[in-house]
Amino acid sequence: MKQKVYSVFDIKAGTYGAPHPCVSRGVALRSFETEANNPGSMLNKYPKDFILYEISEFDDCTGEYTALPGGFVNLGTADDYVKKGLHDDVKEDIQ
């Protein structure tokens, strides 16, 4: 099964967090939104400092990563998701 891979970029540190695969963009956005609304998280304390990116695709049958044709996809800062349900508008093809 192919899954998209996501990473959170920390603007102040200038680094990407560990990549994590998700079964869908909606699941990745829900997880990011949950963390952005967690009062104890760095994303919640500094929401303008963190950006969620879709960075690649992972095939769990072959173990291969594939670059996205158009490069990384910016899915917004944590600030975009604080106290909002933006992931509800996500529409994507299920493969």
Side-chain angles (χ1 to χ4, degrees):
M1 177 178 172
K2 292 184 179 181
Q3 299 182 27
K4 298 293 185 175
V5 180
Y6 301 86
S7 181
V8 176
F9 182 73
D10 180 334
I11 294 169
K12 295 284 169 61
T15 60
Y16 288 87
H20 56 281
C22 287
V23 297
S24 71
R25 183 179 284 180
V27 171
L29 292 174
R30 179 177 60 201
S31 177
F32 188 65
E33 180 181 325
T34 298
E35 193 64 15
N37 286 287
N38 175 354
S41 76
M42 292 292 284
L43 272 70
N44 184 263
K45 290 181 182 180
Y46 307 101
K48 293 182 180 180
D49 291 350
F50 297 95
I51 303 168
L52 179 64
Y53 282 96
E54 188 174 284
I55 61 170
S56 68
E57 188 173 77
F58 176 69
D59 187 327
D60 63 8
C61 292
T62 64
E64 295 179 335
Y65 283 90
T66 305
L68 299 175
F72 289 8
V73 178
N74 180 333
L75 299 175
T77 67
D79 191 52
D80 296 330
Y81 295 89
V82 174
K83 298 180 184 173
K84 299 174 186 169
L86 297 182
H87 70 270
D88 295 335
D89 294 336
V90 174
K91 292 183 174 56
E92 62 179 286
D93 294 328
I94 297 175
Q95 299 179 5

